[in-house]
Amino acid sequence: MEVALIGFPQSGKSTVFQALAGKADPSALFKSKGKFTPHTQIVKVPDKRLEHLAKLYKPEKVIPATVTLTDIPGFQKKDLKNEKIVSEIENYIGTVDALIHVVKRFRGEDLSETAVREMELDLIMRDFIKVENRLKRIAETWNKISGEKRRQIELEKSLLEKCLEILNKEQPLRAHSFSREENKMLSGFQFWSLKPMLILFNCDEGHYNKPVENDFLRHLNSLPRTRCMHLAGQLEMELNELPREEKEEFLTAYNLKEPGRRKVLRNIYDLLELCSFFTTREQEVRAWPIPKSTPAREAAGKIHSDMEEGFIRAEVFPYHDLIKYGNEQEIKKQGKSRTEGKEYLVQDGDIISFLFHK
């Protein structure tokens, strides 16, 4: 799971990156002039269920789900006219699963609506150019192709014309529905405006822990595969440096149930429509992130391809039953452990043991 942070210069994006990464890195605050130098950090996804499983099974290792965060240096509209810069940005944005757009929102200088609209238009324009160029190449070679290849190109052309119509209305591609086959076809283009987007307002104490409170922000939250929330980047970064006891006092003072970074990671999970299943062994307890409604056989392949190829069955029981009954023996005694086949759709919180041919 890979996520890129984007934002205009002076948005406080690098501060937010450090807050989400869970540790301060002074080098992340400075970029070499004229050089494209992203920063990357692997972040553990907090999960209280995994913490409880670790206490119960006492394994040698506890492995949480992770998110790879990349801080993309702030770029402006003029940068998108420089093909070298665009190519470097593309190498990172094009391959990630979702985007976090960091927007500055401090009292007395709230330009957040303008920044959101400008970034959206930048992403749309880049996709528009890419679609236009591809359609132009198709037109140039149209009379030279035939048969099955022509049929495939015809499907692609029709889909790209649909995308062009959407982009021409200055709407992001993610705000529209595509079929599974269309999404598969579009994945190769790595469109920027198609990626799920979390709009993260980097705010001061005045907006900290505030709900979305105006029509524009409510509209953003209503868009498909789009979320927006506030995060006080500087305060969150300071929170990361505090001892555990002082963290609790800090959260209480701001009427918070948890650090903001946990809410950010949950939003990313929701945007990507992910869930987690768990494996529990003496050596290792681990969380495995997968798309919701993943069949059991595919979920087994997340652990190892041999498990998917040699899949026999899955022994499953839900996490909440483990909490209710206390241990696996009691779960089996109560008849709550199930045997599922390859078509079973894995549920969030399932604890699974896969049986397979070696």
Side-chain angles (χ1 to χ4, degrees):
M1 185 167 36
E2 297 185 17
V3 179
L5 277 72
I6 59 174
F8 294 117
Q10 309 305 314
S11 63
K13 178 172 52 58
S14 293
T15 300
V16 168
F17 171 76
Q18 292 180 87
L20 297 180
K23 61 180 181 180
D25 176 11
S27 69
L29 294 175
F30 302 96
K31 304 290 189 297
S32 301
K33 193 171 183 180
K35 292 185 178 181
F36 189 86
T37 54
H39 288 77
T40 298
Q41 181 71 42
I42 296 175
V43 179
K44 296 176 181 177
V45 178
D47 192 327
K48 290 182 179 179
R49 297 172 301 180
L50 186 68
E51 294 170 12
H52 184 82
L53 291 173
K55 290 178 182 176
L56 190 64
Y57 287 92
K58 297 179 174 57
E60 295 173 13
K61 291 191 294 184
V62 179
I63 304 179
T66 60
V67 176
T68 300
L69 294 177
T70 299
D71 177 14
I72 305 292
F75 57 85
Q76 301 179 25
K77 194 177 292 290
K78 64 180 181 179
D79 295 326
L80 298 181
K81 297 178 182 178
N82 184 322
E83 285 304 317
K84 183 179 179 182
I85 293 177
V86 168
S87 178
E88 290 179 316
I89 296 173
E90 185 89 51
N91 288 339
Y92 290 93
I93 293 184
T95 58
V96 299
D97 301 300
L99 299 173
I100 296 177
H101 177 200
V102 179
V103 182
K104 184 178 181 180
R105 193 176 192 210
F106 295 149
R107 282 175 292 189
E109 50 177 349
D110 186 359
L111 301 174
S112 55
E113 186 169 334
T114 301
V116 170
R117 293 187 188 280
E118 284 187 3
M119 179 62 77
E120 198 75 273
L121 287 174
D122 286 349
L123 300 180
I124 288 168
M125 180 54 65
R126 186 60 201 168
D127 288 348
F128 185 90
I129 292 170
K130 188 179 285 189
V131 171
E132 270 198 331
N133 288 342
R134 177 55 185 158
L135 287 172
K136 191 180 296 182
R137 287 195 295 272
I138 289 175
E140 290 170 354
T141 59
W142 186 250
N143 294 327
K144 299 176 184 177
I145 54 179
S146 59
E148 178 60 23
K149 186 175 181 181
R150 187 184 181 96
R151 191 185 74 82
Q152 291 296 325
I153 295 295
E154 197 166 7
L155 289 173
E156 180 186 337
K157 179 174 177 288
S158 176
L159 178 56
L160 289 176
E161 286 171 344
K162 176 182 175 180
C163 291
L164 196 66
E165 185 178 347
I166 293 167
L167 296 166
N168 204 32
K169 294 176 183 176
E170 297 185 349
Q171 297 174 0
L173 294 177
R174 71 176 179 280
H176 292 263
S177 297
F178 296 96
S179 69
R180 188 171 181 176
E181 284 303 310
E182 286 177 329
N183 275 316
K184 188 176 179 180
M185 201 179 300
L186 291 175
S187 64
F189 291 98
Q190 299 181 340
F191 289 131
W192 294 2
S193 75
L194 184 61
K195 296 183 182 298
M197 172 87 81
L198 174 61
I199 300 168
L200 191 60
F201 294 101
N202 181 27
C203 63
D204 50 26
E205 295 179 33
H207 284 108
Y208 198 34
N209 199 30
K210 296 287 185 182
V212 172
E213 82 292 355
N214 66 39
D215 289 342
F216 175 66
L217 300 186
R218 279 190 285 272
H219 166 69
L220 290 176
N221 246 355
S222 70
L223 293 176
R225 301 202 299 164
T226 307
R227 298 280 187 282
C228 59
M229 62 171 284
H230 292 96
L231 184 85
Q234 186 62 44
L235 285 176
E236 287 282 339
M237 198 167 68
E238 292 171 7
L239 175 61
N240 291 336
E241 302 301 310
L242 296 177
R244 175 170 292 187
E245 303 76 27
E246 292 183 34
K247 282 183 180 180
E248 295 299 325
E249 294 176 10
F250 181 100
L251 293 172
T252 301
Y254 284 96
N255 196 27
L256 297 171
K257 294 180 180 179
E258 61 183 354
R261 63 193 293 263
R262 291 193 176 209
K263 187 177 178 182
V264 171
L265 293 169
R266 273 204 310 276
N267 269 311
I268 291 297
Y269 251 62
D270 289 344
L271 280 171
L272 293 174
E273 298 183 332
L274 297 175
C275 67
S276 290
F277 73 90
F278 303 99
T279 52
T280 54
R281 295 183 298 157
E282 188 176 318
Q283 300 92 344
E284 175 186 289
V285 167
R286 183 165 183 165
W288 300 90
I290 55 171
K292 290 177 180 177
S293 299
T294 295
R297 184 176 178 182
E298 287 183 31
K302 176 77 175 178
I303 301 174
H304 199 287
S305 59
D306 288 350
M307 287 189 174
E308 183 172 7
E309 291 171 10
F311 182 92
I312 300 173
R313 64 181 182 273
E315 301 292 337
V316 184
F317 58 87
Y319 171 80
H320 62 79
D321 276 347
L322 182 63
I323 296 301
K324 183 177 180 179
Y325 296 109
N327 57 62
E328 290 188 30
Q329 291 75 21
E330 191 62 26
I331 286 173
K332 290 176 181 177
K333 184 178 176 180
Q334 296 294 329
K336 297 297 183 178
S337 180
R338 313 185 309 274
T339 297
E340 300 287 359
K342 63 182 180 180
E343 299 301 328
Y344 168 70
L345 302 182
V346 175
Q347 302 299 303
D348 185 45
D350 276 351
I351 298 172
I352 307 179
S353 176
F354 294 103
L355 283 77
F356 63 101
H357 294 292
K358 296 184 179 178

